[in-house]
Amino acid sequence: MTNPSAQSESNATAPTNGDDPGGPEAKVRVPGSTNGAVSGYYGAESIQVLEGLEAVRKRPGMYIGSTGPTGLHHRVWEVVDNSVDEAMAGHCDRIDVTVKADGSVEVVDNGRGIPVDKHTNPKYEHLTAAEVVLTVLHAGGKFGGGGYKVSGGLHGVGVSVVNALSSRVEVEIDKNGKRHGMSFKNGGAPDEPLKVIGDAPVDPDTGEPRTGTMVRFWPDPAIFKEGTEFRFQTLVDRFQTMAFLNAGLEFHVSDERNPSSDEVVLRFDGGIRDFVSHLNGSKEALFDEIGWFSEDGDDEQVEIAFSWNTGYNTDGIHSFANGINTIEGGMHEQGFRSALTRTVNAYARDRNFLKEKDENLQGEDIREGLTAVISVRVVEPQFEGQTKSKLGNSEVQGAVESVVYEKLSQWLEDHPRESKQIVDKVILAAQARSAARKARELVQRKNAFSAGGLPGKLADCSSRDPEKCELYLVEGDSAGGSAKQARDRHFQAILPLRGKILNVEKARLDKILSNEEIKNMITALGTAGLATTAEGFNLDGLRYHRIILMTDADIDGAHIRTLLLTFFYRQLRPLVERGYVYIALPPLYRVSRGKDGRYAWTDDQLQETVRELSSDGKGKVSIQRYKGLGEMNPEQLWSTTMDPETRRLHRVTVDDAAAADRVFSTLMGDAVEPRRKFIERNAKYATLDV
């Protein structure tokens, strides 16, 4: 859930490698000038035309979101999405993804193979269709040419963008009994035209020449300056979701960088029903059966699986469009939510669970403990943004509403025992919501901008510009006192937290809003409430655009940090999605020899620093291990952890909401066995603190 590479705060918040199209540093150069000074000159010479893939290298963030770890992995998704599109069209049932020992990634499918004949457009008739796909933006088989009815890769920039941002790309296409190959270098320059390099190998199952496509690419370190190392578990998590969404599609994922690791095989014949079971693996289900229904229309296909558990979370809806995770929702999710609320209310009234005088159940009541997967496939989807995080087709909302109202009503009729369990839980949730309203109103009545309404322990900053302001949530009064002395009072606010906050994974809304530490955080933040409630949350009132969790580097500190992350992910997720939440990285060691003192954040840095100091002459090298923030004086805390010029922060992200949901449920839920297995599986990534 966090950005896996430590970085300075300035790097954590500022776009890099051309993500920012302009700003205070932008200058207009006078032709012939070399000093770069701002000038009033603006003529025809000032207008640049970026040819071919040059535009992608100039502004990579426009095409892959960022040049950090998220953008690096997004390039794999772009290649694999093309293979998944072949699967959705019924022409592919296996995809192999391999991280090679040299850091490249190879994707192989058994689809039809990219077309290898000459392109029919006169502008590109000297090129094969495969060369056009790999070198021309907005070229592909998904623009109504009959190649695909539905697909995820719709903008036609996927594999060409991967090519543009790679130091090398190799492609092999098995088609028409022959193997065709070509390669590219330095951001998309072809080594030579596509040519036949041999016969296609024989498929052992069919005895016929195989068909399919292989793409292997090496990320360009000149573009991905934060690093080009792929995280294997991130790949596995993504492909697991794809396998859930495409019943019967088999992924083989392997990591040749680690010879001892096993190949991961992912295939789920139950499709999204297996997905819901997986998401509920660490939760106590309200009933055993996974609800499921689907409907195939001329322009839309709707498939939904669902279950309720005994938990209190209301954010268990996961939506997908053409296999793409729409983490910001969209029209399909709106249609589901609306129909769900209407259907359950109608059922409760028809069965007299709700009396005439009773008010209707609200959506948040019905969604408490709900886990649902919505998968739609649309002929002409309209995604908002190149990274496709929100579906905009208005007609899909009506289609989903109609399907859900009809099919869910029938499911409730056919499952009276499960339906009563659902309604009983929902009514209890409504009663808890009523009790929580009073607690919420107490928080909302406080004016976050008046000193009288702010928590007593908050040391606020003088600035009122949220984009400049930071709030440090600090573990304990001792560290809070040091942080208050160390901070820059103009833009840094400090809120000490007493002990371990409430585990919101196990608490209903009324208990959450009555917790003193949580009330203090909400009041300090200025959001006036939680994002999980139907009313009250005010993102525009947020007073700080950097919320920094600063805890001790020990087991208790890690626990408190996890509790805080659970709170923000479950109850204030918009703050995480917008990149406002960070984790401070105080140093673990101070190494000194005489007056020369240096800091180390990792054991490798510690050993390197010890070696460096041990080689300046004589004198004993001493090592201080920091386990608590209070062990640093204010000057040390400022220079290592709070100074924007030198500090290190993790920006918290939600790359895959479904995977994050399961991690939080596993770590913070009631079920012990899934947590034990998670710890055993991930122990190798942990460091021992003694």
Side-chain angles (χ1 to χ4, degrees):
M1 181 171 171
T2 60
N3 187 330
S5 62
Q7 55 187 333
S8 69
E9 191 278 334
S10 57
N11 286 336
T13 58
T16 59
N17 292 306
D19 286 5
D20 185 2
E25 301 297 325
K27 296 179 173 64
V28 178
R29 293 181 180 271
V30 178
S33 168
T34 58
N35 60 16
V38 174
S39 165
Y41 179 83
Y42 186 60
E45 302 96 317
S46 304
I47 305 300
Q48 291 182 313
V49 179
L50 300 179
E51 300 287 350
L53 300 181
E54 185 182 359
V56 181
R57 294 184 65 82
K58 187 72 173 177
R59 294 286 185 266
M62 292 175 59
Y63 298 89
I64 59 171
S66 79
T67 54
T70 300
L72 177 71
H73 290 82
H74 185 81
R75 299 164 75 245
V76 184
W77 317 151
E78 290 284 7
V79 177
V80 174
D81 280 349
N82 291 332
S83 299
V84 173
D85 288 341
E86 281 287 279
M88 288 196 292
H91 302 291
C92 169
D93 62 11
R94 175 166 172 165
I95 302 171
D96 290 63
V97 183
T98 306
V99 183
K100 295 292 190 177
D102 61 4
S104 63
V105 171
E106 179 182 275
V107 179
V108 181
D109 67 48
N110 63 350
R112 291 170 290 183
I114 303 174
V116 295
D117 45 340
K118 293 292 185 181
H119 202 275
T120 56
N121 188 320
K123 183 177 181 180
Y124 303 113
E125 60 185 6
H126 61 292
L127 298 174
T128 62
E131 291 169 284
V132 172
V133 167
L134 285 153
T135 59
V136 178
L137 293 176
H138 307 291
K142 301 149 191 178
F143 296 106
Y148 300 90
K149 180 180 179 181
V150 295
S151 63
L154 293 168
H155 292 89
V157 300
V159 73
S160 59
V161 164
V162 172
N163 194 8
L165 302 179
S166 298
S167 58
R168 181 170 178 79
V169 171
E170 295 177 355
V171 179
E172 291 180 354
I173 302 167
D174 291 328
K175 200 172 183 71
N176 305 325
K178 299 295 181 182
R179 173 160 288 181
H180 308 74
M182 70 181 306
S183 60
F184 305 82
K185 60 185 177 184
N186 301 328
D191 286 323
E192 56 184 336
L194 184 74
K195 64 180 181 181
V196 174
I197 58 176
D199 293 330
V202 174
D203 187 320
D205 295 327
T206 66
E208 299 292 330
R210 81 174 295 275
T211 61
T213 303
M214 184 281 290
V215 176
R216 183 178 179 184
F217 65 92
W218 287 255
D220 190 343
I223 298 293
F224 299 96
K225 295 182 179 178
E226 292 183 35
T228 59
E229 183 174 352
F230 292 94
R231 184 174 182 267
F232 187 65
Q233 192 59 45
T234 299
L235 301 177
V236 171
D237 290 343
R238 175 75 172 216
F239 302 140
Q240 179 175 258
T241 298
M242 290 180 173
F244 280 130
L245 294 169
N246 296 272
L249 175 60
E250 190 167 289
F251 283 86
H252 291 247
V253 194
S254 54
D255 187 356
E256 294 183 356
R257 300 169 302 181
N258 183 4
S260 63
S261 68
D262 296 326
E263 179 184 73
V264 177
V265 179
L266 302 164
R267 174 175 172 153
F268 304 100
D269 292 331
I272 64 173
R273 279 171 285 196
D274 290 344
F275 199 178
V276 170
S277 295
H278 171 75
L279 292 170
N280 270 346
S282 59
K283 303 166 186 174
E284 182 183 350
L286 208 58
F287 43 82
D288 293 334
E289 183 172 344
I290 302 295
W292 177 88
F293 51 79
S294 67
E295 182 76 24
D296 289 347
D298 293 335
D299 296 320
E300 302 94 10
Q301 301 169 14
V302 179
E303 184 184 13
I304 294 172
F306 58 91
S307 178
W308 271 265
N309 57 69
T310 58
Y312 308 125
N313 295 317
T314 60
D315 57 0
I317 297 175
H318 306 278
S319 62
F320 301 83
N322 292 15
I324 303 299
N325 187 359
T326 46
I327 59 175
E328 293 185 52
M331 292 299 177
H332 54 334
E333 190 168 320
Q334 288 184 31
F336 173 79
R337 288 170 179 256
S338 175
L340 174 70
T341 303
R342 185 159 62 104
T343 303
V344 174
N345 269 295
Y347 181 86
R349 290 203 180 278
D350 288 345
R351 293 295 182 276
N352 210 31
F353 292 115
L354 284 181
K355 309 300 182 184
E356 185 176 347
K357 64 178 181 178
D358 294 335
E359 65 176 15
N360 269 350
L361 302 165
Q362 294 189 5
E364 64 190 88
D365 306 326
I366 297 168
R367 295 192 302 272
E368 183 184 276
L370 170 68
T371 300
V373 173
I374 307 164
S375 177
V376 299
R377 295 182 178 179
V378 187
V379 174
E380 293 289 344
Q382 299 167 12
F383 291 107
E384 295 186 9
Q386 172 58 29
T387 52
K388 310 164 189 170
S389 60
K390 190 174 185 179
L391 184 67
N393 298 64
S394 58
E395 71 277 7
V396 174
Q397 179 174 351
V400 173
E401 279 188 18
S402 176
V403 171
V404 172
Y405 188 73
E406 176 190 351
K407 301 284 188 177
L408 181 58
S409 296
Q410 188 62 52
W411 189 91
L412 293 172
E413 292 286 347
D414 294 341
H415 298 79
R417 183 178 65 85
E418 291 86 352
S419 299
K420 185 178 187 304
Q421 290 176 292
I422 293 169
V423 174
D424 286 346
K425 177 178 174 58
V426 168
I427 290 175
L428 281 176
Q431 294 169 351
R433 171 174 52 81
S434 179
R437 184 180 296 129
K438 294 180 180 179
R440 182 163 60 245
E441 288 172 352
L442 288 175
V443 176
Q444 292 170 344
R445 279 200 296 267
K446 296 181 179 180
N447 184 345
F449 285 95
S450 67
L454 293 173
K457 288 189 175 182
L458 174 69
D460 205 7
C461 54
S462 59
S463 174
R464 289 294 179 265
D465 183 351
E467 292 187 3
K468 297 178 180 177
C469 293
E470 304 176 346
L471 174 64
Y472 277 83
L473 301 176
V474 184
E475 174 189 350
D477 290 335
S478 175
S482 295
K484 288 178 183 179
Q485 296 179 59
R487 67 181 176 134
D488 185 321
R489 295 169 182 263
H490 176 65
F491 67 96
Q492 291 178 324
I494 309 295
L495 180 62
L497 299 175
R498 183 180 55 208
K500 297 175 181 177
I501 72 162
L502 178 71
N503 180 1
V504 300
E505 192 75 16
K506 300 180 180 180
R508 267 205 169 104
L509 190 60
D510 53 337
K511 187 175 181 181
I512 292 172
L513 283 170
S514 63
N515 180 268
E516 195 64 29
E517 298 302 302
I518 288 178
K519 285 195 294 185
N520 286 341
M521 283 191 285
I522 296 172
T523 305
L525 290 170
T527 58
L530 303 174
T532 51
T533 59
E535 72 285 328
F537 180 72
N538 177 23
L539 184 60
D540 292 336
L542 183 66
R543 304 176 66 233
Y544 314 91
H545 282 190
R546 276 183 295 276
I547 302 155
I548 303 169
L549 317 183
M550 190 160 71
T551 62
D552 290 345
D554 58 12
I555 297 299
D556 283 341
H559 189 195
I560 292 170
R561 184 166 62 248
T562 304
L563 289 168
L564 286 168
L565 286 171
T566 305
F567 168 63
F568 278 98
Y569 177 77
R570 291 297 191 200
Q571 302 295 335
L572 293 170
R573 191 186 295 183
L575 307 189
V576 179
E577 293 172 341
R578 289 175 180 253
Y580 294 156
V581 181
Y582 297 81
I583 295 173
L585 295 174
L588 295 179
Y589 306 98
R590 186 174 190 272
V591 186
S592 58
R593 180 177 175 274
K595 295 183 178 180
D596 190 353
R598 306 181 190 180
Y599 298 95
W601 279 259
T602 66
D603 288 337
D604 288 342
Q605 285 184 353
L606 171 65
Q607 299 304 322
E608 181 180 349
T609 304
V610 169
R611 284 195 298 269
E612 289 178 356
L613 289 181
S614 298
S615 64
D616 298 333
K618 297 180 180 180
K620 181 181 178 182
V621 174
S622 62
I623 301 173
Q624 180 182 4
R625 168 66 165 94
Y626 292 123
K627 291 193 176 181
L629 296 167
E631 295 179 19
M632 283 187 274
N633 61 42
E635 292 77 15
Q636 293 172 329
L637 191 59
W638 165 256
S639 64
T640 63
T641 316
M642 301 182 71
D643 183 354
E645 297 298 323
T646 57
R647 68 186 176 186
R648 297 185 177 192
L649 299 177
H650 275 322
R651 171 179 268 173
V652 180
T653 63
V654 185
D655 294 331
D656 188 332
D661 181 286
R662 181 168 172 81
V663 168
F664 279 117
S665 297
T666 300
L667 290 177
M668 307 307 293
D670 288 318
V672 175
E673 185 62 16
R675 180 160 52 247
R676 182 186 67 79
K677 291 182 178 178
F678 179 91
I679 293 171
E680 288 177 349
R681 187 169 62 250
N682 292 278
K684 59 185 177 181
Y685 301 116
T687 56
L688 185 62
D689 184 13
V690 294

